[in-house]
Amino acid sequence: MNFELNEEQQMLADTVERLVRNTYGFEQREAFYQSPRGHSPEFWRQLSELGITSVPIAAEYDGFGGTGVENMLVMKELGRGLCLEPYLHSQIYAAGLVEQLGSSEQRQAILPAVAGGERLLAVADEEAGSHYHPEAIACQAVPCERGWRLSGHKRVVIGGELAHTILVTARMSDGEGVSLFLLDPAAEGVSRTGYPCIDGPRACDLALADVYVEADSLLGPAGKAAPALAYQRGRAVAAQCAEAVGSMEEAFRLTLDYLKTRQQFGAPIGRFQALQHRMAEMRGELELARSMTILAACVADDPESEERSRRLAAAKFVVARASQLIAEQSIQLHGGIGMSWEYSLAHHAKRLVMLTHQFGDDDFHLGQYSALLEIPRQASQQVA
């Protein structure tokens, strides 16, 4: 199999890498984090001008029409720079849901503005008891004259504090499935409480108190959003694996540089064999995570199937375990400085640990993979 990038893909990777390197130095990132918006509007404008915000959007909606591979290239560099912008949650996850479920009118009204970086989206699909299952929710949609009434609470809506439109999941009042609605955050009855997450990006909690949404705010058929949510979460998992790999690569580089320069007993500590063994273990885990991320990117846009789901679950499991190991080992090999707030490694370690819990942790995806393995096994037993 040929894993080399074509000319357009290499140009895309180089463009994002150069932009992140020139814009997202660690001190600049800290200034963005402390700003009222929690990220850089100027960096987002540059992403838009270079066409990066349009990469995941289909060409018919003014997008680049990128695949999982192009998403991987962008997210890897954003992860390397610890970028705070909600690219994954707006451009990949939310826009993917609109593209899959929306009517032609909804897609035309929303996606070109998203591709141009003028409109931010967010997805409110997590609740206190959902535990990675977007269908296990209490938020309810009750039909009313010319629309719906939404009531419930959503938590940790990444990018939701500044989103122009929030995609909200709600269970139908008759118990028949989960629906997805386009919500204006300024609508009456909506309360959103914004805050910075411990690893940098900003999020919000949503309280919906009998919020009215019009009939054309429904995305797709009523009660039938679960398959689309599962499919688009798979695309988001593949992109998130790439973000983690970019962060792991930077953590590994910082640790290697430190071992080459930190002196003890008159020699760099990187000469000590025990530390070399630990770096070799980190390198092995990083290479395995890279390979699984490429696999995830290659299947991310495939039609829904058990094989696609298995590969994505396997990739998230491997990358999550590698993220945890590299975060811990990097801190230990640095010693006390590795925990310093003024040093970028500590922020990479925090981000890696938090990424292991988004869209399902390693135990969740191991269970998913195991369950999917049982399906073909049972089918073969029935044939026999």
Side-chain angles (χ1 to χ4, degrees):
M1 187 178 236
N2 183 11
F3 291 111
E4 292 184 2
L5 302 178
N6 62 36
E7 185 177 350
E8 282 189 350
Q9 291 169 337
Q10 189 61 59
M11 187 181 301
L12 173 64
D14 292 343
T15 299
V16 183
E17 186 274 333
R18 185 166 53 250
L19 178 61
V20 171
R21 184 180 68 245
N22 294 338
T23 307
Y24 247 89
F26 179 63
E27 292 184 358
Q28 293 167 299
R29 178 191 184 270
E30 287 303 284
F32 300 153
Y33 175 78
Q34 298 293 340
S35 69
R37 296 182 65 87
H39 67 258
S40 169
E42 175 62 21
F43 180 69
W44 190 258
R45 183 187 63 78
Q46 290 177 296
L47 287 176
S48 172
E49 290 179 349
L50 292 169
I52 309 302
T53 55
S54 72
V55 168
I57 313 298
E60 59 188 299
Y61 306 113
D62 300 337
F64 180 81
T67 67
V69 174
E70 283 75 27
N71 289 343
M72 174 187 72
L73 298 176
V74 174
M75 290 303 304
K76 182 178 175 183
E77 297 306 326
L78 296 182
R80 194 190 308 277
L82 288 174
C83 297
L84 300 164
E85 288 67 29
Y87 188 94
L88 186 155
H89 294 270
S90 176
Q91 310 305 107
I92 297 176
Y93 186 29
L97 285 167
V98 173
E99 189 169 334
Q100 183 172 351
L101 287 176
S103 65
S104 59
E105 292 80 8
Q106 288 170 327
R107 294 195 296 267
Q108 288 291 349
I110 296 172
L111 293 178
V114 174
E118 302 159 5
R119 187 170 185 170
L120 286 174
L121 305 178
V123 182
D125 61 351
E126 295 283 350
E127 297 184 13
S130 57
H131 195 65
Y132 310 135
H133 293 281
E135 71 278 5
I137 55 174
C139 183
Q140 194 171 73
V142 179
C144 64
E145 187 178 0
R146 298 189 302 278
W148 308 82
R149 293 283 180 181
L150 306 181
S151 298
H153 293 82
K154 298 291 183 179
R155 59 189 295 274
V156 196
V157 183
I158 304 295
E161 185 181 20
L162 297 173
H164 302 98
T165 303
I166 300 179
L167 281 62
V168 177
T169 58
R171 181 165 297 283
M172 307 307 292
S173 58
D174 59 7
E176 294 296 322
V178 171
S179 295
L180 194 63
F181 296 90
L182 298 168
L183 176 70
D184 179 359
E188 185 178 355
V190 178
S191 174
R192 58 177 171 175
T193 305
Y195 51 85
C197 297
I198 190 172
D199 55 330
R202 297 186 73 88
C204 75
D205 291 343
L206 276 181
L208 308 175
D210 200 29
V211 178
Y212 171 74
V213 294
E214 296 182 356
D216 60 2
S217 295
L218 177 67
L219 280 174
K224 306 296 183 182
L229 285 164
Y231 183 82
Q232 295 300 332
R233 284 171 78 92
R235 293 180 67 243
V237 161
Q240 190 186 65
C241 287
E243 180 183 358
V245 166
S247 184
M248 281 189 275
E249 288 180 349
E250 188 64 12
F252 183 89
R253 183 191 68 79
L254 290 168
T255 305
L256 184 60
D257 288 348
Y258 182 77
L259 296 185
K260 289 178 178 179
T261 56
R262 174 74 164 88
Q263 297 280 324
Q264 195 169 22
F265 305 115
I269 61 175
R271 292 185 181 178
F272 300 156
Q273 192 174 49
L275 301 190
Q276 292 176 0
H277 288 170
R278 292 171 72 173
M279 288 299 293
E281 181 185 14
M282 289 169 62
R283 169 64 78 179
E285 291 295 319
L286 178 55
E287 291 300 328
L288 182 58
R290 277 199 192 111
S291 298
M292 294 302 291
T293 296
I294 293 171
L295 174 64
C298 290
V299 304
D301 294 321
D302 286 355
E304 180 59 50
S305 67
E306 293 166 7
E307 183 64 22
R308 173 184 182 270
S309 298
R310 276 199 300 270
R311 291 180 176 181
L312 290 172
K316 182 65 193 296
F317 173 79
V318 170
V319 172
R321 288 295 177 94
S323 298
Q324 187 83 22
L325 182 140
I326 289 177
E328 293 173 353
Q329 292 289 340
S330 297
I331 293 292
Q332 291 181 11
L333 289 169
H334 272 82
I337 191 176
M339 295 294 291
S340 172
W341 186 260
E342 292 78 16
Y343 186 40
S344 63
L345 177 70
H347 298 262
H348 279 286
K350 284 194 301 180
R351 182 65 177 153
L352 286 170
V353 171
M354 293 305 295
L355 284 176
T356 65
H357 294 280
Q358 288 184 13
F359 300 112
D361 58 19
D362 52 350
D363 287 337
F364 174 82
H365 284 281
L366 181 61
Q368 294 287 95
Y369 184 82
S370 177
L372 288 165
L373 279 182
E374 289 297 323
I375 296 172
R377 184 178 304 157
Q378 292 170 1
S380 64
Q381 290 172 351
Q382 290 174 0
V383 171

